[in-house]
Amino acid sequence: MSFVRSWLPRPFLSLVLLIVWLLMNNSFSLGQIVLGLILALGIPLLTEPLQTQQMAVKRPLKLIRYILVLLWDIVVANLAVAKLILGPTKALQPGFIAYPLNLTGDLPITLLASTISLTPGTLSAEVSKDREWLYIHALDLPDEQALIDEIKQRYETPLKEIFQC
Amino acid sequence: MNFAIELILSLLLLLGGSLILIGSLGLIRLPDVYTRLHAPTKATTLGMGAILIASMLFTLFDQGSLSVQQLLITLFLFISAPLTGHLLAKTAMHQRLKQIDKTKNAELIEVARDREAPNHSSD
Amino acid sequence: MLEISLKIVLVMISIALIMNTYSLVRGPSLPERILSLDTLYINSIGLILIYGIVQASSINFEAALLIAMLGFVSTAALCKYLLRGDIIE
Amino acid sequence: MLNLFWIPLLTLIGVFVSLSANRVSRTACAYATAALPAAALAIVISYAPSVLDGEHFVEQFEWIPAVGLELAFRLDGFALLFALLILGIGLLVILYARYYLSEQDNMPRFYAMLILFMTAMLGIVLSENLIQLWLFWELTSISSFLLISFWNHKSEARKGARMALTITGMGGLALFAGILLIGQVVGSFNLTDVLAQGDLIRGSELYPYILVLVLLGAFTKSAQFPFHFWLPHAMAAPTPVSAYLHSATMVKAGIFLMARLYPALAGTDMWFLIVTLTGLATLLVGAYMALFKHDLKGLLAYSTISHLGLITLLLGLNSKLAAVAATFHIINHATFKASLFMAAGIIDHETGSRDMRKLNGLWRYMPHTAMLAMVAALAMAGVPLLNGFLSKEMFFAETLQQGSLGALSWILPVLATVAGIFSVAYSLRFIHDVFFNGEPINLPKTPHEPPRYMKIPVEILVALCFVVGIAPGLVVAEILHSAATSLLQGETPYYSLAIWHGFNFPLLMSFIALLGGIVVYATRKQLFEFQAQFPERDAKAIFDQNIKRIVDAATRIYGTLENGSLQRYTMLFILSVALFTTVPMTKLINLEGARPLLPVDGISIVATIILVVSTLVTLIWHRKRMIALIAVSVVGLIVSLIFARFSAPDLALTQLSVEVVTVILLMLALFFLPQVTAKAASPSSVVRDLGLATLIGGVMATISYAMMTHPQTSIADFFIANSKTGGGGTNVVNVILVDFRGFDTFGEITVLGIAGLGIYKLIARMKLFMPSADLNGIPWSNDHHPMMLATVSRALLPLALLVSAYIFLRGHNLPGGGFIAGLVTAVALILQYIANGVDFMRERSKLNYQWLISVGLIIAGATGMGSWLFGYPFLSSWFDYFYLPGIGKFELASAMLFDLGVYLTVIGSTLLILGNLGALTTHARPEESK
C-alpha cells in the first residue's frame, strides 16, 4: 500500500492528466496512451512536494451531478446578467453580503467561491481570515437572506456532502 | 454539412458572439467597478464556451474527427474566470474604489478589506 | 449560412475588442483597466477560434490555450502587484 | 637536419624549463636554461653550410588560411646571421646573468622572460609569413616590457618599461596596418611573394602609406629619432637585458625589418629621404648626447642610438654596397656593444655605481676588465685593427658615393665625420674617465675583479672584435656575403674586406674623426659648460604629459558620449540608425515592388487600431507606470495575434510567453523604482525626440514596405525543402532552431544561462529600498498569499506541466518546441511563486536552478558532440523511424534531446532570474503584520 502511495500519490489527478493528455492529442493510439501514462504518473511525482494535503472527493457521483447543475446555472446566470447589462442600469440594486460559511478546507471554499462567481449576478469578493465568512457582491440584490439561503441549499450543502467536511 | 448542423453551429456562434459583445458592453455600461466585474467573468466566459463548442462541432463534422482539445480551453476559463474576478474585487476594495451610492451594505467593504468577520448585528 | 454567421460573429468580436480597448483607455481605476485587458485576452481567444473555423485548421489551438493560461497569470500578477507591490515574496 | 620549427619551439620549451628550475641551485638553473637554446643553436649551425652555399629553406603549414595566416619559417643567409647573433649572444648573456643577478632576484623568472624574448626574436627573423612576423614582433615588445620592469619595485623601471611598451606598441600597430596594406597589394603575406613583387608595391598608389607605416614600426623599435627617447629609459633594466635586448638584438629588429623588406620597399626617393635623414638625425643626436651622459649605461644607450642611426642611414642610401656595409656593421656593433654593456655591468656590479664622475682610475683595481672594456670601446670608436673600423670605413665610403642630394651631397660625408668625431670622443670618455683620471670618489664598494666566469662572455665577444678586425676575410666574409645576398635578393656587388685600401677619402675621414674626437674630449670642460646652459629636457616628463593629455581627451569624448543617460544613448543610437538607413534609402528608385498587396480585411484594421491606440496610451501615460505596462501587454497580445493571423504560430506562442515573463519581470523591477517618475525633459527636447521618432519611424516603415513589396529570393525555400528530409521534422521553425541553426541556438542558450547566473550573482544579498505603501499612500494589503489563488494555482500546476510537455513533444513537427515549452513551465512555476511565496517554494521544491541550467547546457552540448562519434560535424542531427508492435511508427531524433537541453536551460535561467529578484524582498519588508 505504502508502495502505491509513494508511486501513485494522486490516483485521481493521474487519471485526469491521462484523460486531458488524450484529449489534447486527439488520439487514443497505444503510443499516446503509453506516453500519457508516463506523464500522468511522472508529473504528480514531480509536483507532489508543491501540493498541500487536499480534501479527497468522497462522493464522485454527487460531484458529477453538482457539475451538471453548475453548468446549467452558468447558462442561466449569463442570460440573466446579459439582461441586466442590456436593461436600464439605473434599475440595478447592487450590494454586498457577508455569507456565513459552514464549509471547511481551502479546496471546498475555493470551489464554492468560484461557483458563486460563475452563477447569477454574484461575485465572491473576499474570504475572511477565519475562513468563516465569504463576502459576496451581487449585481442585483433585492433580498439578501433569499440569496444566502439559495446558495446554502443549492451549492454549499452538496459540496459539504461531496467532501464530507 | 447539412442544414441542421449549420443551423446549430450558427446559433451557437451567434450566441457566443453576442454574449462576448454583451460582456464587453457591460464593461462600459455598468456604473462602478464592482458591477463591472460581473460582466466579463460571466457573459464572456459562457460566450467563449459557446464558441468553443461550436468549433468542436465544426471540426467534428468538417474533418470528421472529434477534436476535444477546445474543451481544455473552456475548462481553463471556467477555472480562471472566477479567480480573476475575485482578485480584481480584492484589489478594488483594497484601493477603496468608489461604489455607487445605492449599493447595499457598502460598509462591508471596509470589513472585507481587512478580512475581518462582520459584526453580527445585521443578521 | 455558416459563412454569414461567421462574418457576423467576427464583426461582433471586433466591436467587443474595440470596446475593451476603449474601457482600457477610460479606466478610470487600475483594476478596471486590468479587467479590460483580461477581457481583451479572452476575446482574442474567441477571435482565434473563429479564424480556426474560417480557415478550417486548428493550427492556432496552442496559441489560444496559451493566451488562456498566460492571460490569467499576468492578470493575477498585476493584481498581486497592486495588492502587495511585490508579486513574488 | 631537423625541421626549422624546432628552432623557436625548443627555446619556447626552454621558457618552461627555466620556470620549473626554481628548486635547483642558481648554476644548475642557468645550465638548464642554456640547454635548449644551445640545442637550437646546434640546429641553426647544422643548416649553416648549405645556407652559406646560397640555399634557403622554407617550412610552412596552414594555420588560419582564412586570413592568409600560415605558420611558416624561412632560413636564408640574413636570417641565419641574426639567428646566430640571437642565440650566440643569448647564451653568453645567460652565462653572464648567472653572476650578475643577486641572491634576492628571482632567477627562474628572469631566465624565463629572457628565453621568451629569445623565442620571439627568433620568430621574427625566421618568419616567412608577415602576419606571423608581426605577432612575434609584438611578443618582443611585451617580453622586453617584462624584462625592463624586472626590478618592478623601482619606479623608474616601471616607468621606463611602460614608455618602451607604449612607443614600440604604437609602432607595432602602425606596422600591422602596413603589413595588411602590403598583403592587399601583393595578395599574399608570404615573404617570398612580397619580396618578388617589389615593383608592384613600389608602383601601387598605396606605397606611400605602406612605407610610412612600416617605417614607423621599424623606427620606434630601433629607437630612431624622434622616437629614440625610450631607449635610455629602458636602461633601468638589469644590465644583461640592456646588453642583449637594447644593443644586440631587439633594437636591431627594426633594422632587420627594413633590411628584410629592402627589396620590396627600397629604391625610391621617398625611401631615400625618409630613411637617410632619419638615420642621419639619429646618428648625430645620439653621438652628441652620448658625450654628456654621466651614467655609464646612459652613454652606451645613446651611442647605441647613434649606431642604429648609422645603420639606418646606410640602408637608406639605396645602394647595394651600403646595404652590405649595414649588414657588416650590424655584426660588429652587436659584438662590441654587447661586450661594452657587460663590462659596464661588471663595473656597476663590483663598484656599486655607474656614475662616471665617481668612477675613476679603475685600471688599478680591475685591469683585466679594463683591458677588455677598452678594446671594445676602441672598436666602437672605429680604431684600426678592430671590427668597428672596417664597417665605419665602408660607411664613410658610402656617404661619399651617393649624390642624391645633388649639389648638397657634400653635407652627408661632413656630418658623418662630425658624428665620427663625437663617437670617438665619447669612447675616449668611457675609457679615460672610468679607468684613469685619478682615484675613485667615495664608491659604495671597493672595486675588484669579478668572478672568473662573469668575464668569459666579454672575453669571447672582445676576441671576436679583434679577429674580425684583423682577419675579416677569414671570419665573416662568407656569412656576410650570404646575408647580403639574401638581403638584396640578388647578386652582391664587389666589395673587399681588406683592412688597408690605401690612402683614400674614407681613411682621411676616419683620421679626422680620431683627431677631432681627441680634441673634443680634451676640451670637454667647455663643452659641458656650454651644454649646461640648455635646460635638461626630461623625456619621461614630456612623455607622461602627452599620455595624460591623450587620456584626458579620451575621457572627455567618453564622457560626452556615455554620460549615463539612457535617453542620450537611445538618441545617439537612433540617430546613427537613421543616418545609415536614410542614405541608402535615397538610392532606392521605385519604392513599390512588383509583389501585389494583400487585401485588407476588417479584423486587420481593428487590430491595427487597437495596436496604435495602446501604443499611444503607453507613450502618453508612460509616467503612470502600471497603465503603461497594461497598454504594453495589449501591444504584445496584438502582435502575437498578428503572428497567428499570418500563420506563424511558433512566433505567436513565443511572443505570448515572452510577453508574460517580461511583464512579470518589469513589475518585479518597478517595485524597487521610485514610484513617481520624474517629469520628462524640457519641451524642446520633447519636440526633438518627437521629430527623431517620426523620422526613424518613417524610415523603418518605408524600408519594410519596400522590403515586403519587392519579390526576393529568400533562403526560406531551402529550409522548407530540407526540413523533413534533412532534419526529420515538419515544423520548419523548430528544425531551423535545433538543426540548421542549432549552433546559434546553442550559443543563445549559453548566453541565456550566463545572463541568469550573472543576474543571480549581481543581486545576491542586495539591499534595496522597499516602499511600504502604494502610489496613493494606501499601505499594502496584509493578505500575502490570497487563499483562493494559492489553491487554484497549485491545482493548475500539473495541468500546466502537461501542456508544456505537450508543446515540447510535438514541437519537432507542429508548432511548439523546447523554448516555448520551457517558458510555459517557467511561467507555471512563477505562478506558484506568486501564489505561495518564495519560502513555500524554497522549503518544498528541490529544484536547483543553477543545476538546471548546467544540466541543460551539458545535454545540448553533449548532443552536439554526439554527432562527432558518427563522424559528422558538431550538432548535425540524427533521426530515424521505429516500429513497435501496437504503438506503430514513431520517430526518434537527436534534435529532441537537444531541444530538451534548451527546455531545461530556459526554465533554469528564467526562474533563476525571476525567483531571485522576488527573493530580494522576501525578508525584511518594512511593514509586516504577519
Side-chain angles (χ1 to χ4, degrees):
Chain A
M1 191 58 209
S2 66
F3 174 81
V4 177
R5 268 256 147 276
S6 56
W7 286 99
L8 191 58
R10 299 210 185 297
F12 186 67
L13 176 62
S14 299
L15 184 63
V16 172
L17 288 177
L18 178 57
I19 294 168
V20 170
W21 177 259
L22 297 176
L23 288 186
M24 269 200 296
N25 289 286
N26 261 334
S27 98
F28 294 83
S29 73
L30 184 54
Q32 288 298 352
I33 294 176
V34 172
L35 211 51
L37 274 174
I38 297 171
L39 291 166
L41 295 180
I43 290 178
L45 285 176
L46 280 178
T47 56
E48 188 54 23
L50 293 180
Q51 301 298 340
T52 47
Q53 50 80 31
Q54 284 175 6
M55 304 290 208
V57 179
K58 303 281 180 356
R59 298 280 170 78
L61 292 175
K62 279 197 180 294
L63 179 63
I64 292 163
R65 180 180 170 284
Y66 179 83
I67 291 174
L68 292 177
V69 171
L70 180 57
L71 285 175
W72 174 249
D73 289 355
I74 289 174
V75 176
V76 176
N78 287 287
L79 299 180
V81 171
K83 205 157 86 275
L84 287 174
I85 294 173
L86 294 174
T89 50
K90 299 282 162 298
L92 287 181
Q93 177 43 277
F96 284 88
I97 60 166
Y99 175 88
L101 284 167
N102 303 353
L103 282 172
T104 55
D106 290 357
L107 186 60
I109 294 178
T110 311
L111 280 179
L112 180 63
S114 307
T115 315
I116 291 169
S117 297
L118 285 170
T119 47
T122 49
L123 179 87
S124 40
E126 187 55 283
V127 185
S128 71
K129 281 201 199 97
D130 51 19
R131 304 278 165 85
E132 291 187 353
W133 295 89
L134 187 62
Y135 293 96
I136 301 174
H137 179 271
L139 190 50
D140 194 24
L141 185 60
D143 175 358
E144 304 171 22
Q145 201 50 48
L147 178 60
I148 295 180
D149 299 342
E150 186 194 356
I151 294 174
K152 269 240 178 305
Q153 58 89 13
R154 196 166 175 79
Y155 305 119
E156 187 171 15
T157 331
L159 276 174
K160 243 183 128 46
E161 291 173 4
I162 291 167
F163 288 99
Q164 300 288 321
C165 56
Chain B
M1 209 180 304
N2 62 40
F3 179 81
I5 299 156
E6 281 213 18
L7 187 64
I8 300 169
L9 282 181
S10 310
L11 288 180
L12 278 170
L13 286 173
L14 291 178
L15 173 69
S18 29
L19 278 171
I20 286 179
L21 195 54
I22 291 168
S24 311
L25 183 67
L27 201 52
I28 298 177
R29 266 195 96 212
L30 291 169
D32 68 353
V33 58
Y34 301 101
T35 47
R36 280 172 190 163
L37 280 174
H38 289 267
T41 38
K42 298 194 183 47
T44 315
T45 317
L46 184 64
M48 287 309 305
I51 288 182
L52 286 158
I53 295 168
S55 84
M56 264 172 64
L57 291 178
F58 176 80
T59 37
L60 174 58
F61 292 108
D62 188 62
Q63 285 116 21
S65 72
L66 174 65
S67 128
V68 211
Q69 301 173 321
Q70 279 84 349
L71 272 183
L72 206 60
I73 301 180
T74 327
L75 175 70
F76 208 94
L77 288 181
F78 280 162
I79 297 175
S80 63
L83 200 53
T84 315
H86 162 65
L87 287 171
L88 282 167
K90 217 172 145 59
T91 320
M93 292 192 296
H94 169 69
Q95 296 200 334
R96 295 208 176 84
L97 294 181
K98 198 76 204 73
Q99 75 285 1
I100 50 169
D101 305 337
K102 58 179 170 177
T103 310
K104 284 190 191 173
N105 322 336
E107 70 281 359
L108 281 176
I109 295 182
E110 270 310 307
V111 191
R113 195 174 170 284
D114 308 333
R115 299 187 299 144
E116 300 298 345
N119 48 356
H120 299 224
S121 62
S122 59
D123 45 64
Chain C
M1 174 167 65
L2 191 56
E3 286 67 23
I4 303 154
S5 39
L6 280 171
K7 282 208 173 25
I8 298 171
V9 177
L10 276 181
V11 173
M12 285 173 159
I13 296 182
S14 320
I15 298 172
L17 291 173
I18 297 280
M19 285 199 215
N20 299 331
T21 322
Y22 167 75
S23 52
L24 186 145
V25 176
R26 177 193 68 178
S29 71
L30 278 173
E32 282 155 313
R33 297 183 203 273
I34 298 176
L35 183 61
S36 324
L37 175 65
D38 191 64
T39 320
L40 204 59
Y41 269 105
I42 297 177
N43 292 351
S44 50
I45 300 176
L47 192 62
I48 288 182
L49 290 172
I50 299 293
Y51 254 102
I53 301 181
V54 171
Q55 297 165 333
S57 86
S58 63
I59 189 84
N60 284 321
F61 162 69
E62 289 71 27
L65 187 60
L66 277 201
I67 293 181
M69 278 176 63
L70 302 176
F72 166 66
V73 173
S74 63
T75 310
L78 286 164
C79 290
K80 186 86 189 321
Y81 181 80
L82 291 186
L83 283 170
R84 294 284 301 162
D86 174 17
I87 63 176
I88 296 180
E89 57 183 331
Chain D
M1 278 185 294
L2 275 163
N3 187 313
L4 283 175
F5 286 107
W6 284 101
I7 301 170
L9 194 59
L10 282 175
T11 49
L12 189 60
I13 303 167
V15 175
F16 302 99
V17 170
S18 39
L19 272 182
S20 50
N22 51 359
R23 294 270 171 287
V24 299
S25 78
R26 293 154 59 79
T27 319
C29 176
Y31 280 128
T33 312
L36 284 160
L41 182 58
I43 299 177
V44 175
I45 290 171
S46 74
Y47 273 94
S50 35
V51 173
L52 293 179
D53 297 345
E55 287 187 59
H56 82 278
F57 302 84
V58 173
E59 314 252 11
Q60 62 185 13
F61 68 82
E62 295 289 304
W63 184 10
I64 312 171
V67 296
L69 178 53
E70 53 210 357
L71 211 48
F73 290 101
R74 127 194 219 111
L75 184 64
D76 56 13
F78 200 57
L80 176 71
L81 168 62
F82 266 85
L84 287 175
L85 283 178
I86 294 161
L87 286 165
I89 297 184
L91 285 168
L92 297 180
V93 168
I94 292 174
L95 174 58
Y96 177 80
R98 152 70 183 85
Y99 297 93
Y100 179 86
L101 292 180
S102 66
E103 300 291 343
Q104 304 86 300
D105 297 327
N106 177 347
M107 188 176 259
R109 180 162 144 267
F110 178 85
Y111 275 142
M113 294 177 188
L114 201 71
I115 305 297
L116 180 65
F117 167 79
M118 187 185 276
T119 315
M121 204 60 209
L122 282 171
I124 292 183
V125 299
L126 294 178
S127 279
E128 158 72 6
N129 180 300
L130 280 175
I131 294 181
Q132 176 196 338
L133 182 148
W134 176 79
L135 288 175
F136 283 112
W137 179 281
E138 292 296 313
L139 187 54
T140 55
S141 301
I142 293 165
S143 47
S144 94
F145 169 82
L146 293 171
L147 281 165
I148 297 172
S149 60
F150 176 70
W151 285 321
N152 45 27
H153 54 276
K154 295 186 184 166
S155 125
E156 78 264 25
R158 296 196 301 271
K159 282 220 180 69
R162 222 178 297 130
M163 189 187 287
L165 184 63
T166 320
I167 302 297
T168 50
M170 289 193 297
L173 285 180
L175 171 61
F176 189 48
I179 288 176
L180 290 182
L181 286 181
I182 291 179
Q184 198 180 359
V185 172
V186 180
S188 151
F189 291 106
N190 280 351
L191 217 42
T192 323
D193 312 341
V194 173
L195 296 184
Q197 295 294 339
D199 300 329
L200 179 65
I201 298 175
R202 280 184 290 269
S204 81
E205 75 283 2
L206 285 176
Y207 174 71
Y209 308 100
I210 296 177
L211 186 61
V212 170
L213 288 169
V214 171
L215 287 181
L216 269 176
F219 288 169
T220 47
K221 200 77 163 176
S222 288
Q224 293 300 297
F225 183 84
F227 308 110
H228 62 285
F229 56 88
W230 69 264
L231 188 54
H233 289 283
M235 290 303 146
T239 307
V241 176
S242 318
Y244 191 34
L245 275 67
H246 305 123
S247 73
T249 55
M250 188 182 92
V251 289
K252 297 260 177 27
I255 307 282
F256 172 85
L257 186 74
M258 285 190 267
R260 188 88 277 193
L261 295 176
Y262 190 85
L265 296 177
T268 63
D269 293 352
M270 196 173 176
W271 166 277
F272 167 76
L273 286 175
I274 300 178
V275 179
T276 312
L277 295 183
T278 314
L280 187 59
T282 318
L283 171 66
L284 290 167
V285 170
Y288 180 75
M289 294 302 294
L291 183 56
F292 299 101
K293 290 294 156 195
H294 299 303
D295 176 357
L296 215 47
K297 282 176 75 177
L299 183 151
L300 291 178
Y302 274 101
S303 99
T304 308
I305 292 176
S306 103
H307 279 272
L308 292 169
L310 185 155
I311 302 171
T312 313
L313 172 58
L314 278 170
L315 286 172
L317 291 176
N318 280 337
S319 101
K320 290 171 179 266
L321 218 48
V324 177
T327 320
F328 193 23
H329 198 65
I330 290 173
I331 308 174
N332 299 338
H333 177 257
T335 45
F336 66 67
K337 189 54 63 69
S339 49
L340 275 172
F341 266 110
M342 290 183 182
I346 293 176
I347 294 165
D348 183 8
H349 199 253
E350 304 307 332
T351 65
S353 165
R354 297 194 320 230
D355 188 335
M356 280 187 280
R357 284 161 300 189
K358 298 181 181 173
L359 297 166
N360 293 323
L362 292 185
W363 172 260
R364 204 170 306 107
Y365 301 91
M366 38 175 71
H368 188 175
T369 317
M371 197 65 227
L372 297 168
M374 286 194 288
V375 174
L378 290 174
M380 173 164 74
V383 174
L385 300 182
L386 291 166
N387 57 0
F389 171 72
L390 299 174
S391 43
K392 191 161 272 179
E393 285 284 288
M394 289 176 133
F395 165 62
F396 286 148
E398 280 313 308
T399 55
L400 290 164
Q401 289 313 317
Q402 60 74 43
S404 318
L405 288 177
L408 290 176
S409 302
W410 58 269
I411 284 184
L412 214 47
V414 171
L415 291 179
T417 323
V418 172
I421 292 175
F422 275 100
S423 71
V424 172
Y426 63 69
S427 313
L428 270 179
R429 182 173 180 216
F430 181 88
I431 297 171
H432 183 262
D433 278 20
V434 175
F435 298 109
F436 308 98
N437 192 17
E439 278 302 300
I441 303 158
N442 54 32
L443 289 173
K445 306 181 192 170
T446 48
H448 57 79
E449 284 286 345
R452 177 86 202 79
Y453 288 99
M454 197 169 180
K455 278 182 294 187
I456 287 186
V458 193
E459 286 160 349
I460 295 175
L461 289 169
V462 170
L464 272 176
C465 298
F466 250 123
V467 180
V468 174
I470 293 164
L474 294 177
V475 194
V476 288
E478 261 193 304
I479 178 121
L480 178 57
H481 176 264
S482 77
T485 325
S486 62
L487 186 164
L488 297 166
Q489 291 290 302
E491 213 21 69
T492 51
Y494 167 78
Y495 61 89
S496 90
L497 292 174
I499 306 168
W500 180 254
H501 295 99
F503 291 103
N504 55 9
F505 255 100
L507 188 65
L508 176 63
M509 290 162 77
S510 313
F511 187 66
I512 299 172
L514 274 174
L515 281 186
I518 296 165
V519 175
V520 168
Y521 180 68
T523 60
R524 62 182 182 284
K525 295 274 174 298
Q526 294 74 355
L527 264 175
F528 278 48
E529 283 153 11
F530 169 73
Q531 181 64 14
Q533 300 165 358
F534 300 101
E536 181 65 27
R537 293 175 67 255
D538 178 8
K540 201 181 288 170
I542 301 164
F543 175 79
D544 291 345
Q545 202 179 1
N546 291 331
I547 291 292
K548 193 176 175 304
R549 275 209 204 85
I550 296 170
V551 172
D552 293 348
T555 329
R556 265 200 304 286
I557 299 167
Y558 182 82
T560 44
L561 281 182
E562 196 165 352
N563 62 347
S565 137
L566 187 55
Q567 289 85 339
R568 169 72 61 88
Y569 302 160
T570 325
M571 190 190 77
L572 289 173
F573 172 68
I574 290 186
L575 261 180
S576 37
V577 170
L579 196 68
F580 289 123
T581 44
T582 38
V583 174
M585 286 301 290
T586 54
K587 294 184 178 52
L588 189 64
I589 311 97
N590 58 334
L591 180 54
E592 177 154 5
R595 193 182 284 181
L597 301 176
L598 296 172
V600 186
D601 57 5
I603 299 297
S604 315
I605 297 176
V606 172
T608 321
I609 293 172
I610 298 177
L611 196 60
V612 172
V613 170
S614 42
T615 317
L616 284 177
V617 171
T618 323
L619 286 179
I620 295 163
W621 283 332
H622 70 280
R623 291 180 60 221
K624 297 195 166 70
R625 294 204 180 111
M626 282 312 282
I627 300 181
L629 199 55
I630 296 170
V632 164
S633 25
V634 175
V635 175
L637 175 64
I638 299 297
V639 169
S640 47
L641 283 181
I642 292 172
F643 285 144
R645 164 79 173 76
F646 294 103
S647 58
D650 285 278
L651 286 185
L653 296 178
T654 318
Q655 169 69 29
L656 278 169
S657 24
V658 171
E659 187 66 28
V660 173
V661 174
T662 320
V663 168
I664 292 173
L665 185 61
L666 280 174
M667 277 190 284
L668 282 170
L670 279 185
F671 181 56
F672 298 108
L673 295 182
Q675 289 177 308
V676 192
T677 317
K679 177 91 184 69
S682 61
S684 60
S685 65
V686 170
V687 172
R688 177 200 68 194
D689 298 350
L690 266 177
L692 207 52
T694 324
L695 171 66
I696 193 73
V699 171
M700 283 306 153
T702 328
I703 290 179
S704 17
Y705 182 73
M707 287 283 292
M708 285 188 276
T709 49
H710 283 76
Q712 63 234 340
T713 59
S714 76
I715 52 172
D717 311 333
F718 166 82
F719 290 135
I720 293 165
N722 293 299
S723 88
K724 183 87 178 92
T725 53
T730 49
N731 175 3
V732 181
V733 178
N734 181 265
V735 174
I736 289 177
L737 283 180
V738 298
D739 191 332
F740 293 130
R741 292 271 179 279
F743 201 64
D744 298 1
T745 315
F746 187 52
E748 279 152 16
I749 59 174
T750 318
V751 171
L752 188 63
I754 293 171
L757 292 171
I759 294 178
Y760 172 62
K761 286 296 164 218
L762 276 177
I763 64 181
R765 279 190 223 77
M766 194 188 255
K767 287 263 168 289
L768 292 170
F769 165 76
M770 278 171 277
S772 62
D774 68 9
L775 198 47
N776 315 328
I778 304 171
W780 302 121
S781 148
N782 59 9
D783 190 0
H784 293 244
H785 308 299
M787 180 269 281
M788 283 174 67
L789 178 60
T791 321
V792 170
S793 50
R794 268 175 228 153
L796 282 183
L797 179 61
L799 210 56
L801 289 183
L802 194 70
V803 169
S804 68
Y806 171 70
I807 290 176
F808 174 80
L809 284 173
R810 68 203 294 277
H812 207 45
N813 293 316
L814 291 159
F819 186 76
I820 302 166
L823 280 176
V824 172
T825 314
V827 169
L829 285 169
I830 290 167
L831 180 61
Q832 304 307 309
Y833 272 102
I834 294 175
N836 304 317
V838 175
D839 298 339
F840 176 92
M841 295 298 280
R842 274 245 181 82
E843 69 203 29
R844 284 158 173 276
S845 89
K846 308 278 171 298
L847 271 182
N848 174 339
Y849 300 126
Q850 283 132 329
W851 275 105
L852 218 51
I853 295 176
S854 30
V855 170
L857 285 177
I858 289 168
I859 291 180
T863 322
M865 289 185 244
S867 45
W868 284 344
L869 301 179
F870 307 98
Y872 292 111
F874 188 67
L875 265 177
S876 46
S877 78
W878 158 93
F879 66 95
D880 203 347
Y881 299 89
F882 297 91
Y883 295 84
L884 276 185
I887 291 180
K889 181 181 176 190
F890 65 97
E891 177 190 8
L892 284 180
S894 67
M896 287 181 179
L897 203 55
F898 181 75
D899 225 9
L900 179 64
V902 177
Y903 175 76
L904 293 176
T905 318
V906 169
I907 300 176
S909 328
T910 318
L911 285 172
L912 193 63
I913 296 171
L914 294 186
N916 287 296
L917 266 177
L920 272 184
T921 63
T922 310
H923 311 295
R925 294 252 332 209
E927 40 62 74
E928 274 314 346
S929 54
K930 280 233 170 68

